[in-house]
Amino acid sequence: MRRGTKRSGVGSASSKSGKDVEAINAFFKEYSEPDDAELIGPEGVEKLCADIDVAPSDVRLLMLAFKMNAAKMGYFTAVEWRNGMGSMNCTSVQKLSKCLATLEMEVQQTVVFREFFKYAFTFCCTEPRQKTLDIETASQMLQIVMPNSPHLEPFLQFIQDQKEYKALTMDQWQGFLRFCEETLPDLSNYDESQAWPLLIDNFVDWKRA
């Protein structure tokens, strides 16, 4: 199983009181697999989504996976759960529902969002040694993580229409985020002399044409 790189700021269950740890473990058991007490699988995740009233495609579920530093889509290990829930002081579904708004605000911070954006790419890499996302997967994930960017709709149209690239690399993915952060909607301040991925230069040329 692929493991994500541990990020700073993610708490550890070891720092919680024994009572809190027990509550977090009991919370985990509500969703764990019948034949694997250390794992929550797709059915458990679906039940969790229903309990917190969040659709599986909702960005808040991805934010929760990010907070846990979950390594595999559709699964939470007991260690990931304890660390994530411990860092948020969530010992029940009621507390988790309330924590989601705070988590959204945290992820909206610029530095945290950059980590979240990078995590979204790696989280979608479900195969061993996978280094790219196919255009369809990348498009779907971009719509989830940054739906309000003025550059998103034209960029999605561009990558669907173009024939040169069949997938996006991490460099291109990160480059698009930097482009969104630095470039005005009318592209008037776009600096071609900067070290942009060729995909971004091609996008700008396509949009200006």
Side-chain angles (χ1 to χ4, degrees), residues 16-82:
K16 312 303 292 180
S17 70
K19 185 177 180 180
D20 286 341
V21 171
E22 288 180 5
I24 290 171
N25 288 341
F27 186 19
F28 179 84
K29 289 179 182 178
E30 294 181 31
Y31 305 98
S32 62
E33 295 281 272
D35 58 348
D36 189 345
E38 294 294 302
L39 184 69
I40 294 175
E43 290 186 6
V45 172
E46 186 175 344
K47 182 177 184 295
L48 175 66
C49 288
D51 287 349
I52 61 177
D53 195 24
V54 168
S57 60
D58 193 305
V59 68
R60 289 174 294 178
L61 184 62
L62 183 62
M63 290 177 179
L64 184 59
F66 167 71
K67 191 68 175 179
M68 294 186 194
N69 202 18
K72 187 175 181 181
M73 187 177 294
Y75 296 85
F76 296 134
T77 68
V79 172
E80 292 165 351
W81 183 274
R82 291 181 194 119

Side-chain angles (χ1 to χ4, degrees), residues 125-193:
C125 294
T126 57
E127 300 298 325
R129 296 181 294 279
Q130 182 178 342
K131 300 296 184 182
T132 63
L133 293 184
D134 64 86
I135 295 297
E136 189 62 32
T137 300
S139 297
Q140 292 174 357
M141 187 55 70
L142 285 171
Q143 291 177 79
I144 291 173
V145 299
M146 55 187 322
N148 299 319
S149 170
H151 294 296
L152 178 61
E153 186 174 342
F155 183 72
L156 293 181
Q157 182 181 345
F158 164 71
I159 61 175
Q160 293 290 340
D161 290 349
Q162 59 82 37
K163 304 300 181 184
E164 183 175 355
Y165 300 94
K166 303 298 183 183
L168 297 189
T169 65
M170 175 65 84
D171 183 58
Q172 293 164 340
W173 178 266
Q174 295 286 81
F176 181 62
L177 175 60
R178 182 167 73 90
F179 174 83
C180 291
E181 291 178 339
E182 299 179 7
T183 309
L184 295 172
D186 65 359
L187 309 181
S188 58
N189 68 331
Y190 183 72
D191 186 352
E192 297 177 356
S193 67

Side-chain angles (χ1 to χ4, degrees), residues 5-10 59-71 76 80 83-84 87-88 103 106-109 111-120 122-123:
T5 302
K6 186 175 180 180
R7 300 183 310 274
S8 60
V10 177
V59 68
R60 289 174 294 178
L61 184 62
L62 183 62
M63 290 177 179
L64 184 59
F66 167 71
K67 191 68 175 179
M68 294 186 194
N69 202 18
F76 296 134
E80 292 165 351
N83 287 341
S87 69
M88 296 186 292
L103 181 57
E106 177 185 336
V107 173
Q108 287 170 7
Q109 299 173 24
V111 174
V112 181
F113 184 80
R114 288 171 182 165
E115 291 186 22
F116 172 66
F117 191 81
K118 183 177 182 180
Y119 172 83
T122 57
F123 195 53

